[in-house]
Structure formats: structure tokens, C-alpha cells
């Protein structure tokens, strides 16, 4: 049998966009369990909490937030690319900041089931767990040492586990929050993991800058499957958002005179992937915990607003076997991406815009199989 791929020019799809704070630089968008989006603007020191209809509250922090996320009480946690762990107490209208020791580069944030804050540290590979304390628990900072170092910008939680992917020494790490063990998979040298997510089968996914691909790690089989982006060339995937059987991503391709920003969706069931077996080890994890202070608390400035009126437009769209690619306007540089209420929301760093694309269910274009 002869297997042929199908490429379809799908015309256009409608989209909307709204301005963010001029002069800022938006990073992550995170979908909270409360049905809101949490957007971090590093340059303008802002955290935006966005309702599905576009109404929002802006919190102006004392730092430069990168990866703001809410805990179960509705407080918002962030790190600043330096030494700060920050908390916005929404009910009280205050922020509290703590400083980790020495010169650090705190990046990604994850909140576990006990509302403890986990933060990655990009420069040295440390991993921190910060417990803000309760009536029966004291405030505590724990430093974890992972084999090969963490060196991870992003971190994601699947319930029982925390996942990190190491761009420096090329490891993927899975921490068992209940059993206290860590499993490590050695990655090929060409791998450069960026944004992370976990699917419903508890497989790790990441956007890979080194491979120009989306990558799945099956922890049970210890196998990595690479799906090369259909644009090819110098396409640089940024962030990733797994939605059911679909894997959404943002990507940038920089040419001589123009930046091409795209948002795409992968259907792994019909796309072609390349499988690599990975060596893995499981062991204990070393940690050191110390009492920590109460931090510095101050009032925080807030502003209410709405993203209305949205600017309307259309996006050129290409559909190939297993892929749909949406081409954003010129000079767009998409980064953070998250799904909420029938839209795929995208942070456009290049134009300082928030974009939302009507996100229909993926239309699968299966390969043609011709029998001889």
C-alpha cells in the first residue's frame, strides 16, 4: 500500500485581539481551576486575572512576575526571575514577598495539593518548595537537589507528580509527591525542552526548541515521540497546551526581515511521530528544609477593566495530515497559550496583545491509503 499525506489550504479563521499595557512584555497565561486566566507581564510588573468574558483585574506587584498561578484559596503566587517568591492576597488587597538565599534565577511555579509553592531555579538547577505556613505548620523553605540539576524554566503538576524537563544536562524529572521518589529520563543531546504540559494519560509533553518539534514522553514505556512541526525551517516552538486529544502550541520563525508567529494544533493520532527509547532511573531525592520568616507585606495597587472592544480579524490557516496551523499578523511573537471557554488564548510578546482564537474541534484529515 502507498501512504500519502493530505495537505489542505483551509482559508481563514476568525480571531480577536486586545491591547495589553504598552511597554510591557507578557509571558505566561495559566488557566486556573476557578475558570479564570492568570497572565504575567514581566516588564510592567503586572498580574492580570481575566474572566472568560474579558473583564479583568490588574495587580501591580513590586517585582517582575513570570508564571503567576492561583492556589486553592484564590491567592496568586509568582516568581520574578531573581530571588523573589510573591503572594497576592486577593481578599486583603496585599502582597507578601519572600527572598530565597543567594543569587538565584527563580522561574516556573507549581502549587501542590497542600498549597505549597514549588519554584524552579534556572541558573544552578536548584528546586525550591516553599510552605507559607498554616495554623499548624510553620513557614518553611526546602531546597531539593536533583541528579543532573533541574535547570528548568517550567514546571507542571499532574496531581500526584511534578514534572520538569532539563535543558542544560538533558533530563526529564518526575517527582512523586506521595512516595518521595524521583524518576529521571536521559534525553538526547539535541533536545531543548521549553513549555510543558501533561495529557490525560499522564504523559509529559513539551515544545522543543532544539528539535523544532512537539515531544511526548510516555513514562511507562520510557519512550519519547517526536512530532516535527510542519513549517520546518527555523521554526522555534514556544509554549504548549494539551486539550483532550489535541496539543496546541505557539511558535515563532524569524526570517531576514519579518517575524512569522503561528499558533497550531497537533492531532497525535493521525500525525507521524518518531519514537526513541530512553534510559531511566528511579531513586531518592535529597532536600534541606529550614524555617523561614513571615516575609514583607504591603498593600497592592489594583485596577479593574475590560478587554472590550476586541479588534476583529482573520487568520490564514493551513491544514495538513495531523496538523492545523494559524498564521498570526506580521511581527506577532506568540508565547503563553491557554484554553478557556471555547477560545484558545495567546500572549503576543511581539505586539503586546492578547489574542483569542475561536477554537473549533479539530478536523482530522486522515492519510490516504491506496492499495496496489
Amino acid at each position: 500500500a502507498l501512504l500519502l499525506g493530505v495537505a489542505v489550504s483551509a482559508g481563514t479563521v476568525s480571531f480577536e485581539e486586545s491591547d495589553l499595557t504598552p511597554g510591557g512584555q507578557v509571558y505566561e497565561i495559566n488557566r486556573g481551576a476557578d475558570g479564570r486566566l492568570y497572565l504575567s507581564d514581566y516588564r510592567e510588573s503586572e498580574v492580570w486575572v481575566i474572566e472568560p468574558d474579558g473583564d479583568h483585574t490588574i495587580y501591580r506587584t513590586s517585582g517582575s512576575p513570570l508564571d503567576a498561578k492561583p492556589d486553592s484559596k484564590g491567592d496568586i503566587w509568582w516568581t520574578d526571575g531573581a530571588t523573589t517568591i510573591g503572594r497576592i492576597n486577593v481578599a486583603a488587597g496585599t502582597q507578601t514577598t519572600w527572598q530565597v538565599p543567594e543569587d538565584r534565577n527563580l522561574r516556573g511555579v507549581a502549587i501542590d495539593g497542600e498549597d505549597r509553592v514549588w519554584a524552579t531555579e534556572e541558573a544552578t538547577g536548584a528546586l525550591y518548595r516553599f510552605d507559607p505556613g498554616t495554623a499548624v505548620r510553620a513557614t518553611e523553605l526546602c531546597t531539593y537537589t536533583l541528579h543532573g540539576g533541574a535547570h528548568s524554566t517550567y514546571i507542571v503538576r499532574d496531581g500526584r507528580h511534578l514534572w520538569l524537563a532539563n535543558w542544560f544536562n538533558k533530563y526529564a524529572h518526575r517527582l512523586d509527591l506521595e512516595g518521595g521518589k524521583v524518576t529521571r529520563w536521559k534525553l538526547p543531546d539535541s533536545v531543548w525542552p521549553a513549555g510543558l504540559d501533561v495529557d490525560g494519560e499522564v504523559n509529559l509533553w513539551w515544545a522543543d526548541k532544539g528539535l523544532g518539534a512537539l515531544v511526548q514522553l510516555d513514562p511507562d514505556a520510557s519512550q519519547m515521540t517526536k512530532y516535527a512541526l510542519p513549517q520546518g525551517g527555523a521554526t522555534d516552538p514556544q509554549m504548549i497546551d494539551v486539550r483532550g486529544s489535541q496539543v496546541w502550541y505557539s511558535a515563532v520563525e524569524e526570517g531576514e526581515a519579518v517575524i512569522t508567529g503561528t499558533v497550531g494544533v497537533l492531532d497525535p493520532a493521525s500525525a507521524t511521530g518518531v519514537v526513541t527509547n530512553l534510559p531511566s532511573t528511579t531513586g531518592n531525592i535529597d532536600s534541606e528544609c529550614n524555617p523561614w520568616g513571615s516575609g514583607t507585606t504591603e498593600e497592592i495597587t489594583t485596577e479593574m477593566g475590560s478587554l472590550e472592544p476586541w479588534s476583529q480579524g482573520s487568520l490564514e490557516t493551513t491544514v495538513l495530515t495531523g496538523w492545523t496551523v494559524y498564521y498570526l499578523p506580521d511581527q506577532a511573537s506568540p508565547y503563553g497559550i491557554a484554553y478557556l471557554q471555547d477560545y484558545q488564548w495567546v500572549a503576543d510578546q511581539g505586539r503586546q496583545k492578547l489574542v483569542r482564537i475561536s477554537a473549533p474541534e479539530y478536523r482530522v484529515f486522515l492519510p490516504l491509503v491506496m492499495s496496489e
Side-chain angles (χ1 to χ4, degrees), residues 10 16 69 75 87 108 158 176 181 202 243 251 256 305 322 332 343:
E16 300 169 300
K69 291 177 179 174
D75 292 341
R87 177 182 64 193
D158 68 21
D176 186 334
K181 298 286 186 179
V202 201
R243 176 161 67 93
E256 293 184 0
Y343 291 102

Side-chain angles (χ1 to χ4, degrees), residues 102-181:
E102 303 178 6
D103 186 18
R104 292 291 183 262
N105 186 358
L106 297 177
R107 304 290 292 191
V109 172
I111 315 293
D112 67 22
E114 297 182 50
D115 279 338
R116 298 175 301 188
V117 181
W118 295 75
T120 64
E121 201 287 307
E122 191 173 35
T124 67
L127 174 65
Y128 291 104
R129 190 194 75 194
F130 177 67
D131 189 336
T134 65
V136 296
R137 290 200 317 252
T139 303
E140 182 180 63
L141 182 71
C142 298
T143 304
Y144 287 75
T145 303
L146 301 180
H147 175 68
H151 290 286
S152 177
T153 302
Y154 300 102
I155 184 170
V156 65
R157 175 183 169 223
D158 68 21
R160 174 169 176 163
H161 304 105
L162 291 176
W163 290 89
L164 302 92
N166 179 324
W167 57 263
F168 186 74
N169 286 326
K170 312 300 183 183
Y171 282 96
H173 304 273
R174 185 185 66 185
L175 282 66
D176 186 334
L177 295 175
E178 296 178 14
K181 298 286 186 179

Side-chain angles (χ1 to χ4, degrees), residues 53-94:
D53 62 3
D55 289 346
H56 59 267
T57 302
I58 302 173
Y59 297 91
R60 292 192 168 85
T61 71
S62 61
S64 301
L66 290 167
D67 194 23
K69 291 177 179 174
D71 64 17
S72 66
K73 301 186 295 294
D75 292 341
I76 307 167
W77 292 89
W78 51 273
T79 58
D80 68 344
T83 61
T84 303
I85 296 175
R87 177 182 64 193
I88 299 171
N89 186 321
V90 173
T94 61

Side-chain angles (χ1 to χ4, degrees), residues 195-197 205-207 214 238-242 247-249 337:
L196 310 178
D197 205 355
W205 286 85
W206 67 81
L214 305 186
Q238 302 290 319
M239 301 300 294
I240 198 167
D241 184 38
V242 179
V247 184
W248 288 75
Y249 67 94
I337 182 169

Side-chain angles (χ1 to χ4, degrees), residues 81-312:
T83 61
T84 303
I85 296 175
R87 177 182 64 193
I88 299 171
N89 186 321
V90 173
T94 61
Q95 72 167 357
T96 304
T97 54
W98 293 263
Q99 306 299 318
V100 300
E102 303 178 6
D103 186 18
R104 292 291 183 262
N105 186 358
L106 297 177
R107 304 290 292 191
V109 172
I111 315 293
D112 67 22
E114 297 182 50
D115 279 338
R116 298 175 301 188
V117 181
W118 295 75
T120 64
E121 201 287 307
E122 191 173 35
T124 67
L127 174 65
Y128 291 104
R129 190 194 75 194
F130 177 67
D131 189 336
T134 65
V136 296
R137 290 200 317 252
T139 303
E140 182 180 63
L141 182 71
C142 298
T143 304
Y144 287 75
T145 303
L146 301 180
H147 175 68
H151 290 286
S152 177
T153 302
Y154 300 102
I155 184 170
V156 65
R157 175 183 169 223
D158 68 21
R160 174 169 176 163
H161 304 105
L162 291 176
W163 290 89
L164 302 92
N166 179 324
W167 57 263
F168 186 74
N169 286 326
K170 312 300 183 183
Y171 282 96
H173 304 273
R174 185 185 66 185
L175 282 66
D176 186 334
L177 295 175
E178 296 178 14
K181 298 286 186 179
V182 59
T183 301
R184 297 175 280 266
W185 290 266
K186 181 61 177 173
L187 305 176
D189 289 342
S190 55
V191 167
W192 188 280
L196 310 178
D197 205 355
V198 180
D199 66 22
E201 302 298 320
V202 201
N203 300 308
L204 178 68
W205 286 85
W206 67 81
D208 198 294
K209 295 176 179 292
L211 300 176
L214 305 186
V215 177
Q216 181 203 63
L217 170 60
D218 180 339
D220 294 330
S222 289
Q223 289 183 332
M224 182 188 91
T225 304
K226 177 186 76 173
Y227 298 89
L229 296 184
Q231 300 100 305
T235 304
D236 189 10
Q238 302 290 319
M239 301 300 294
I240 198 167
D241 184 38
V242 179
R243 176 161 67 93
S245 62
Q246 304 176 351
V247 184
W248 288 75
Y249 67 94
S250 57
V252 175
E253 183 175 348
E254 296 191 27
E256 293 184 0
V258 67
I259 297 175
T260 302
T262 56
V263 173
V265 56
L266 162 69
D267 173 27
S270 55
T272 299
V274 177
V275 177
T276 302
N277 293 316
L278 301 177
S280 65
T281 57
T282 298
N284 296 318
I285 182 170
D286 297 326
S287 64
E288 179 183 347
C289 298
N290 295 289
W292 215 241
S294 57
T296 302
T297 300
E298 57 189 327
E299 292 186 359
I300 191 168
T301 301
T302 63
E303 177 184 330
M304 308 289 288
S306 174
L307 295 171
E308 297 286 357
W310 290 90
S311 175
Q312 308 289 323

Side-chain angles (χ1 to χ4, degrees), residues 15-17 344-346 348 351 353-357:
F15 84 109
E16 300 169 300
E17 61 184 18
Q344 204 71 36
W345 300 69
V346 184
D348 180 357
R351 300 177 305 135
K353 302 273 190 181
L354 182 61
V355 176
R356 66 181 190 184
I357 302 170

